[in-house]
């Protein structure tokens, strides 16, 4: 059994080394390309016609998309193999923080959010929890189209072994065909709302991976014209402070 764990750890280490190398080898040239375009636009703008400037700007935008994609893929690969620091998080505060990131889109489209009176305090990786709600809110806001009075509703309940959350919108809904590929990386739906909206097809894959590291599951419930609900669970025992964490916290407090 020990040999199997060692083999697994070695395989994970090799994969992470490979990803770091690929990230470095790809990001370096991309950053240089973007920098060169920016430098040309700054220094020679007066000598360039509008067509050339437009092409240079498009190169910069596309480079930005590629670097974002590389970052998403690296994060996707690390979710299960590299855990982040755990801390106590008030989920109500976290949702408020995430919602604030969409201030412009919320005002532009008139979005409202409805939250339950009680949300839990969990011992979790804060940035990973933010990724869950950020991606689910982003999907709802991005694909709502021209629906009047758009709304997101968050529901929470505590079960015997799990915390259960639901994020519901009143948008256009998702076809059964698209629901089957929602959580697959790089797979985007074929509806007009999806095709006409920006996205890399990675966000919901990230959410699924994070939820699974907490022993939970994510599911979608949707009907065309009647909105979409994402249900996800977190295993209670995966969201609680363990003795080792408390001992380390006590040591740090003593040092302070």
């Amino acid at each position: 059994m020990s040999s199997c764990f060692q083999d697994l750890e070695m395989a994970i280490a090799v994969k992470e080394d490979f990803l770091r190398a690929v990230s470095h080898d790809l990001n370096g040239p991309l950053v240089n390309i973007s920098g060169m375009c920016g430098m040309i636009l700054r220094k020679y703008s007066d000598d360039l016609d509008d067509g050339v400037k437009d092409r240079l700007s498009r190169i910069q935008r596309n480079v930005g998309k590629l670097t974002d994609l590389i970052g998403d893929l690296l994060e996707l690969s690390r979710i299960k193999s590299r855990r982040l620091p755990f801390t106590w998080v008030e989920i109500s505060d976290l949702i408020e923080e995430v919602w604030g990131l969409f201030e412009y889109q919320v005002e532009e489209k008139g979005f409202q959010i409805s939250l339950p009176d009680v949300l839990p305090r969990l011992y979790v990786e804060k940035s990973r929890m933010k990724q869950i709600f950020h991606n689910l809110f982003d999907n709802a806001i991005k694909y709502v189209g021209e629906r009047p009075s758009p709304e997101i509703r968050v529901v929470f309940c505590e079960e015997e072994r799990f915390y259960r959350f639901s994020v519901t919108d009143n948008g256009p809904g998702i076809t059964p065909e698209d629901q089957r590929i929602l959580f697959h990386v790089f797979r985007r739906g074929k509806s007009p709302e999806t095709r006409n909206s920006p996205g890399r097809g990675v966000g919901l894959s990230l959410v699924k991976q994070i939820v699974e590291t907490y022993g939970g599951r994510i599911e979608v419930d949707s009907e065309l014209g009647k909105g979409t609900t994402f249900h996800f669970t977190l295993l209670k025992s995966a969201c609680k402070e363990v003795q080792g964490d408390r001992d380390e916290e006590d040591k740090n407090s003593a040092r302070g």
Side-chain angles (χ1 to χ4, degrees):
M1 183 67 72
S2 176
S3 175
C4 290
F5 281 124
Q6 289 175 351
D7 290 344
L8 178 60
E9 288 177 353
M10 184 176 296
I12 290 172
V14 168
K15 183 191 74 171
E16 289 196 351
D17 286 342
F18 171 75
L19 286 168
R20 278 194 294 271
V22 169
S23 173
H24 179 270
D25 290 345
L26 288 176
N27 268 322
L30 288 171
V31 170
N32 286 337
I33 291 169
S34 181
M36 283 289 189
C37 290
M39 183 270 292
I40 292 170
L41 285 168
R42 287 193 303 273
K43 292 185 67 174
Y44 305 105
S45 179
D46 294 340
D47 301 322
L48 301 174
D49 63 44
D50 291 341
V52 173
K53 287 189 282 189
D54 179 64
R55 287 178 176 84
L56 289 169
S57 296
R58 277 193 286 169
I59 290 172
Q60 282 190 303
R61 289 195 296 272
N62 286 325
V63 166
K65 290 177 182 178
L66 284 173
T67 54
D68 287 345
L69 180 58
I70 292 169
D72 284 345
L73 290 175
L74 283 170
E75 177 64 9
L76 190 62
S77 72
R78 291 170 176 167
I79 285 171
K80 290 187 177 180
S81 61
R82 183 178 297 177
R83 303 306 294 270
L84 301 176
F86 277 62
T87 185
W88 284 105
V89 175
E90 294 284 354
I91 298 300
S92 57
D93 293 343
L94 182 139
I95 289 177
E96 183 178 346
E97 184 179 339
V98 172
W99 189 247
L101 299 175
F102 296 100
E103 182 178 2
Y104 173 75
Q105 298 96 314
V106 165
E107 290 184 2
E108 182 183 43
K109 298 184 178 182
F111 250 98
Q112 299 292 325
I113 188 168
S114 171
L115 301 178
D117 292 333
V118 177
L119 282 164
R121 180 173 183 258
L122 305 179
Y123 193 68
V124 290
E125 302 155 289
K126 182 177 179 179
S127 64
R128 296 257 162 94
M129 288 299 112
K130 286 177 69 175
Q131 283 180 302
I132 291 176
F133 286 101
H134 186 280
N135 279 296
L136 295 180
F137 291 171
D138 183 50
N139 269 4
I141 293 170
K142 188 161 51 181
Y143 300 128
V144 72
E146 300 300 322
R147 294 294 191 284
S149 304
E151 179 188 15
I152 290 175
R153 186 172 71 257
V154 177
V155 174
F156 166 75
C157 70
E158 186 172 341
E159 301 175 350
E160 183 178 355
R161 296 179 59 236
F162 293 92
Y163 298 112
R164 177 177 293 276
F165 296 86
S166 298
V167 177
T168 300
D169 65 62
N170 58 350
I174 305 170
T175 67
E177 293 77 18
D178 286 350
Q179 290 179 43
R180 287 194 284 269
I181 62 171
L182 273 182
F183 303 106
H184 296 189
V185 67
F186 295 143
R187 302 288 296 278
R188 302 190 70 208
K190 298 178 181 179
S191 69
E193 288 85 0
T194 302
R195 288 199 305 269
N196 297 327
S197 299
R200 299 184 290 274
V202 179
L204 289 176
S205 298
L206 281 170
V207 172
K208 182 174 184 290
Q209 289 267 38
I210 295 168
V211 167
E212 289 178 351
T213 64
Y214 286 85
R217 295 182 59 187
I218 184 166
E219 300 172 336
V220 62
D221 180 15
S222 184
E223 187 177 345
L224 284 178
K226 297 186 178 180
T228 299
T229 299
F230 287 95
H231 307 277
F232 70 91
T233 56
L234 305 172
L235 190 64
K236 283 185 175 181
S237 60
C239 305
K240 291 184 177 179
E241 188 176 22
V242 297
Q243 187 60 43
D245 297 317
R246 182 174 292 280
D247 291 342
E248 188 62 31
E249 184 178 334
D250 291 342
K251 289 179 185 177
N252 291 335
S253 299
R255 293 191 195 103

